[in-house]
Amino acid sequence: MCYNKQSKNKEGISVPDNPLAEVFGFPIDNQSHEAKRYRRGRLCPFNNKVPNCTKDKAIDPLGVCSILVEDGSATITCPIRFRENWIIAEDAAAFFFSPDTSWTSLTEVRLKDGTGQSAGNIDVVLVSYDEKGKLLDFGSLEVQAVYISGNVRNPFAQYMKDPDGQSKMVWNGHNYPRADYLSSSRKRLAPQMLYKGGIFNEWRKKQAVALHKSFYATLPELPAVAPEQADVAWFLYGLELNKEENRFVFTRHKTIYTAFEPALLRITKTPASPIDDFIQHLQ
């Protein structure tokens, strides 16, 4: 598959030939027996809570793990995609706990605030324990995939009608799907850090955030600190194409260590435009 080939959509904007990078865990032109089996069974290869993909709908799941963006690279749009080989848990444990610590992980853990109201669910909570199974410490791991603007179900449905025949399809449909980094940060990442992250910070517990590297690149530069001084570790991952197997491999790209409050302030505070421009607009 040519991941750099460009077309123009109905809005006249240059985009990849179609937006689908991975469907049910495989590039759309992967016609191996394994890829066909996963597509046929609507299966998830990335440690979902059940064998099948459950994204969007359990009966008719939207099995798009990642989409192609303008430069032809793949960006993760499903949070379950981050669970490949549980690399994210291993990386977070190395930040939370000392070497040789016994630890395990719990997913979708309910969190309450000081009034007893729900503050949401933690994607993954890692806990360390002693030889008798007594809990010693814990930390939170939040996973933030990228929102999609536009309609990705239409090209997905077109592909799934005939995966063999549509493996090199060109999609020029209306409302071409794109990675919406701004909404991902303002509507999801910032509120998560503010509410759930604020509770863990008050408890003086470490936090880890797993992001796609292209998403992090759209955030303002966060003030870094030494790992031993950090409250939060930002793990940046990417998808590297293994051409021999024709599969994308989940790979850690970089880690940034920050204190909690300076990082939160940088994410949630928007630089002000010149006040004279606003006054002129009012006038």
Side-chain angles (χ1 to χ4, degrees):
M1 183 174 185
C2 179
Y3 292 97
N4 294 313
K5 192 174 181 181
Q6 299 283 311
S7 304
K8 287 185 181 295
N9 64 9
K10 289 186 176 181
E11 290 79 22
I13 299 173
S14 293
V15 292
D17 270 356
N18 74 76
L20 307 177
E22 293 174 297
V23 171
F24 296 114
F26 294 82
I28 64 172
D29 64 345
N30 187 322
Q31 301 301 331
S32 66
H33 173 76
E34 186 180 18
K36 291 180 178 181
R37 182 172 71 86
Y38 273 84
R39 287 194 288 262
R40 183 171 58 250
R42 294 345 189 228
L43 301 174
C44 174
F46 303 122
N47 297 299
N48 193 21
K49 57 186 177 182
V50 295
N52 302 91
C53 172
T54 54
K55 186 178 180 181
D56 194 31
K57 300 176 183 179
I59 302 300
D60 183 22
L62 178 62
V64 179
C65 315
S66 58
I67 65 170
L68 298 173
V69 294
E70 285 78 2
D71 65 359
S73 64
T75 293
I76 300 172
T77 55
C78 175
I80 303 301
R81 179 64 181 87
F82 283 83
R83 297 184 181 183
E84 181 180 333
N85 296 324
W86 280 115
I87 295 171
I88 57 172
E90 188 175 11
D91 288 344
F95 172 58
F96 295 156
F97 313 129
S98 59
D100 301 323
T101 297
S102 297
W103 61 272
T104 190
S105 58
L106 307 169
T107 59
E108 296 299 324
V109 179
R110 185 178 303 173
L111 180 67
K112 293 183 178 181
D113 63 19
T115 68
Q117 300 298 310
S118 174
N121 288 347
I122 304 296
D123 291 332
V124 185
V125 175
L126 279 74
V127 299
S128 63
Y129 54 90
D130 63 17
E131 65 278 1
K132 295 182 180 180
K134 180 181 178 181
L135 188 147
L136 299 175
D137 198 3
F138 63 91
S140 74
L141 168 59
E142 290 289 350
V143 177
Q144 183 57 63
V146 175
Y147 283 0
I148 297 176
S149 64
N151 189 316
V152 75
R153 182 168 280 278
N154 285 345
F156 167 74
Q158 178 69 26
Y159 170 72
M160 288 301 293
K161 289 178 182 177
D162 180 16
D164 291 342
Q166 295 289 341
S167 62
K168 297 186 183 299
M169 74 177 191
V170 175
W171 182 257
N172 288 315
H174 179 67
N175 208 12
Y176 193 96
R178 298 183 184 86
D180 188 348
Y181 298 113
L182 186 59
S183 293
S184 302
S185 58
R186 288 184 175 179
K187 294 181 180 179
R188 185 66 177 172
L189 178 61
Q192 282 194 137
M193 293 297 295
L194 184 63
Y195 292 104
K196 293 186 284 186
I199 292 173
F200 269 72
N201 185 62
E202 187 171 337
W203 288 341
R204 298 187 181 277
K205 294 299 180 182
K206 290 182 177 180
Q207 304 173 59
V209 182
L211 302 170
H212 193 280
K213 61 181 181 180
S214 59
F215 178 19
Y216 185 85
T218 67
L219 299 177
E221 185 176 354
L222 303 183
V225 300
E228 60 271 14
Q229 298 174 330
D231 305 313
V232 185
W234 304 77
F235 294 103
L236 314 184
Y237 301 94
L239 295 176
E240 305 295 334
L241 181 65
N242 182 323
K243 294 183 179 180
E244 291 184 2
E245 297 183 2
N246 194 12
R247 290 192 67 172
F248 285 100
V249 179
F250 185 74
T251 307
R252 177 155 54 88
H253 173 67
K254 188 177 181 181
T255 307
I256 292 92
Y257 300 95
T258 72
F260 176 78
E261 292 186 358
L264 182 62
L265 181 63
R266 188 67 61 88
I267 291 173
T268 57
K269 183 178 179 181
T270 302
S273 60
I275 190 173
D276 290 344
D277 292 351
F278 186 64
I279 292 173
Q280 185 177 3
H281 176 67
L282 294 176
Q283 184 65 51

